[in-house]
Amino acid sequence: QVQLVESGGGLVQAGDSLRLSCAASGRTFSNYVTGWFRQAPGKEREFVAAIIWSGGITSYADSVKGRFTISRDNAKSTVYLQMNSLKPEDTAAYYCAARTGRTIATQIPHYDYWGRGTQVTVSS
């Protein structure tokens, strides 16, 4: 079992930055691929970014490429999502997820563990 706890959300203005953190506990964190997903009100949960266990391979949704950066610190069992140039359309609950294996995945069913989410609200 892996427990995931997100933090760092908040209310910001368009153009601002935020860094989300996802702290993991339980089994060896470095064995897992981790990802960030988001869900806006009335919309389906969608993939944002993912990173493999070594940090050497990442993947991003087109909507956040060039603005968001995912990283991880296995020594701290923490994954980060640096979000720059935020837009109102980035407003959503952001969820951290982890999956066994060592390949990137962008679909929800491929992830085994989920956090409870942290809210990000971007005002215009």
Side-chain angles (χ1 to χ4, degrees), residues 39-94:
Q39 187 167 17
K43 295 187 176 181
E44 294 186 350
R45 192 170 297 189
E46 64 177 5
F47 170 76
V48 175
I51 188 167
I52 67 168
W53 67 276
S54 69
I57 297 176
T58 58
S59 179
Y60 296 93
D62 288 342
S63 59
V64 306
K65 278 181 183 177
R67 299 188 299 123
F68 291 11
T69 302
I70 189 172
S71 61
R72 64 189 292 161
D73 184 338
N74 288 336
K76 296 182 178 179
S77 296
T78 302
V79 177
Y80 305 98
L81 184 68
Q82 177 66 43
M83 305 185 296
N84 298 330
S85 302
L86 283 161
K87 304 175 181 179
E89 50 263 45
D90 294 319
T91 294
Y94 283 72

Side-chain angles (χ1 to χ4, degrees), residues 27-35 50-59 72 74 97-106 110-112:
R27 292 188 175 179
T28 306
F29 180 64
S30 60
N31 291 340
Y32 293 85
V33 172
T34 52
I51 188 167
I52 67 168
W53 67 276
S54 69
I57 297 176
T58 58
S59 179
R72 64 189 292 161
N74 288 336
R99 67 184 295 268
T100 55
R102 297 194 169 187
T103 57
I104 289 282
T106 62
H110 293 164
Y111 285 81
D112 305 298

